[in-house]
Amino acid sequence: MSVQTAPAENLKINRERLWDSLMDMARIGPGIAGGNNRQTLTDEDGEGRRLFQTWCEAAGMTMGVDAMGTMFMRREGTDPDALPVYVGSHLDTQPTGGKYDGVLGVLGALEVVRTMDDLGIKTKHPIVIVNWANEEGARFAPAMLASGVFAGVHTLDYAYARKDLDGKTYGAELERIGWKGDETVGARKMHAYYELHIEQGPILEAEGKDIGVVTHCQGLWWLEFTLTGREAHTGSTPMAMRVNAGLAMARILEMVQEVAMAAQPGAVGGVGQMKFSPNSRNVLPGSVVFTVDIRSPDQAKLDGMRAQIEARAAKICDELGVGHSVEAVGHFDPVTFEPELVEHVRTAAERLGYSHMNIISGAGHDACWAAKVAPATMVMCPCVGGLSHNEAEEISPDWAAAGTDVLLHAVLETAVIVE
Ligand code: HGY
Ligand code: MN
Ligand code: MN
């Protein structure tokens, strides 16, 4: 009989086993400065997937893989007809990524299942652990590509056609590493979705809190600008004769900073990737391609920044005689997570005696797309100095354990313990 009992406050995960699994995974696709370079659909990603599969199958779970390469590991519930509670994140990393971004959420979910197995805990709803493919969007834009297809935001054809900087497509690379599954993307229905993730910002550590109760996630635009100048000699071309796409890019970056600062509080804007062609020291660039990343939890502010940046960028380029085009290559509106699940996270932190505070996620996560198709929320733990997307990303074993303990309790509340 399924009863809605709350997990006991002394119910906790095996923190040593969790930390060992994080360190074991971190050995796959090592970076050059202590972090990871396990970019999506690389051989290293494939190796990490196989290790995760081995661990899950050793815990008696069965694997499904969809046509985007997302992995689903199922632990049976007592009611086979009940929709599963999904718990997950991503194993792919940035090229100079940390050991915990995404990985804590996937291996924290595995630790939840392992703890349930240790204690013989049965739940009405099955549990499914998810390793979403291509969350980072570093190699194939946009970020959260596979969860976006799952939520019906992108088509499979669009996703397969996405190219990396070497011109390789997502579809070809997925075939190459042998992780193109046969499941229809998005066919699975979720009872609920939870994601544990490091904050990737400084707030929780600065406030001395163990747990972030994530109520919302800020929205995002990725605006890819292509500026067209005229290739010319950097030495013999008089300044007045230049059609300088590099200068236009610099003025646009300065303008983005100004627009984001004027939109404070609660707005960010910047550029992480740019490409000069022909990228030769003594040739003025014929083409400059770069992506502006702007975000805000406030819809009007987010869209207002986009409109202002596009209008002012056009003016900057016209003044310099530089051609320009802009394409939105990534977008999601601000997300409000499911209040009932948010409350499960909050009461779990209180039951376990962990300090906590409400927080809005600054980074995007697969939970943002999961929230379009199911009740969803997140649990966050601090990270040292708020640093992430950097090989020096660090968390404490205490923070990892606290976040996973809360995840365990919230998942059990939703999956319903069966005595
Ligand atoms: O871009 C993001 O917010 C996430 O790290 N993919
Ligand atoms: Mn992440
Ligand atoms: Mn990330």
Side-chain angles (χ1 to χ4, degrees), residues 90 92-94 101-102 135-136 197 200 363-365 388-389:
H90 61 93
D92 68 309
T93 75
Q94 288 286 336
D101 172 0
E135 187 281 339
E136 289 294 355
H197 206 288
Q200 300 183 290
H365 303 283
S388 183
H389 285 194

Side-chain angles (χ1 to χ4, degrees), residues 63-81:
M63 181 169 81
V65 183
D66 74 11
M68 276 297 289
T70 292
M71 298 169 73
F72 302 96
M73 310 306 288
R74 180 182 171 105
R75 178 187 199 260
E76 289 308 329
T78 58
D79 177 353
D81 300 328

Side-chain angles (χ1 to χ4, degrees), residues 78-398:
T78 58
D79 177 353
D81 300 328
L83 289 181
V85 174
Y86 283 69
V87 199
S89 193
H90 61 93
L91 291 174
D92 68 309
T93 75
Q94 288 286 336
T96 54
K99 299 191 283 284
Y100 312 98
D101 172 0
V103 182
L104 177 63
V106 176
L107 300 188
L110 172 58
E111 179 52 38
V112 163
V113 165
R114 284 171 162 171
T115 300
M116 291 169 69
D117 291 345
D118 288 348
L119 302 174
I121 294 175
K122 293 199 293 288
T123 54
K124 171 177 184 264
H125 294 267
I127 308 285
V128 174
I129 304 177
V130 196
N131 170 29
W132 295 105
N134 194 40
E135 187 281 339
E136 289 294 355
R139 188 181 175 199
F140 300 101
M144 297 103 78
L145 182 62
S147 53
V149 178
F150 186 92
V153 173
H154 307 303
T155 65
L156 192 61
D157 289 346
Y158 164 83
Y160 277 7
R162 308 306 293 159
K163 285 185 178 159
D164 67 9
L165 290 177
D166 298 327
K168 291 177 183 165
T169 65
Y170 186 96
E173 284 294 280
L174 184 62
E175 296 262 16
R176 184 186 67 80
I177 70 163
W179 278 92
K180 181 178 175 182
D182 53 10
E183 283 190 15
T184 302
V185 185
R188 287 173 172 263
K189 300 304 169 209
M190 301 179 181
H191 177 60
Y193 175 81
Y194 282 99
E195 181 163 355
L196 167 64
H197 206 288
I198 62 172
E199 178 198 340
Q200 300 183 290
I203 298 168
L204 293 175
E205 185 186 41
E207 297 293 330
K209 302 295 183 192
D210 299 319
I211 297 295
V213 180
V214 190
T215 57
H216 301 80
C217 182
Q218 64 178 351
L220 161 154
W221 281 105
W222 279 2
L223 306 174
E224 186 177 88
F225 282 87
T226 301
L227 306 188
T228 308
R230 184 171 62 223
E231 292 180 20
H233 198 297
T234 50
S236 55
T237 308
M239 295 302 278
M241 280 180 60
R242 297 180 177 207
V243 182
N244 194 337
L247 176 59
M249 182 273 293
R251 288 184 179 173
I252 289 171
L253 263 60
E254 185 68 40
M255 177 268 289
V256 168
Q257 174 74 12
E258 189 193 308
V259 168
M261 291 311 292
Q264 296 307 308
V268 291
V271 171
Q273 182 187 69
M274 70 177 66
K275 186 179 175 191
F276 272 50
S277 299
N279 202 30
S280 169
R281 290 178 183 78
N282 46 7
V283 178
L284 290 170
S287 157
V288 177
V289 181
F290 59 100
T291 302
V292 172
D293 180 329
I294 52 174
R295 309 196 192 197
S296 175
D298 178 308
Q299 186 77 56
K301 201 174 267 192
L302 179 67
D303 293 340
M305 285 199 293
R306 176 188 179 185
Q308 201 188 144
I309 286 167
E310 290 186 350
R312 291 178 63 178
K315 193 163 176 300
I316 287 166
C317 290
D318 292 348
E319 285 161 1
L320 292 170
V322 167
H324 97 290
S325 65
V326 56
E327 180 193 356
V329 295
H331 171 240
F332 59 85
D333 289 333
V335 174
T336 300
F337 288 122
E338 177 63 39
E340 183 192 336
L341 303 188
V342 172
E343 190 53 31
H344 285 330
V345 170
R346 187 176 294 114
T347 50
E350 282 162 4
R351 182 185 309 128
L352 288 156
Y354 292 130
S355 58
H356 59 88
M357 63 182 282
N358 288 356
I359 194 167
I360 295 173
S361 176
H365 303 283
D366 295 307
C368 298
W369 288 141
K372 283 182 83 75
V373 293
T377 198
M378 299 185 71
V379 182
M380 274 186 179
C381 75
C383 53
V384 176
L387 189 64
S388 183
H389 285 194
N390 182 307
E391 291 205 44
E393 177 186 278
E394 201 48 74
I395 64 174
S396 73
D398 285 348

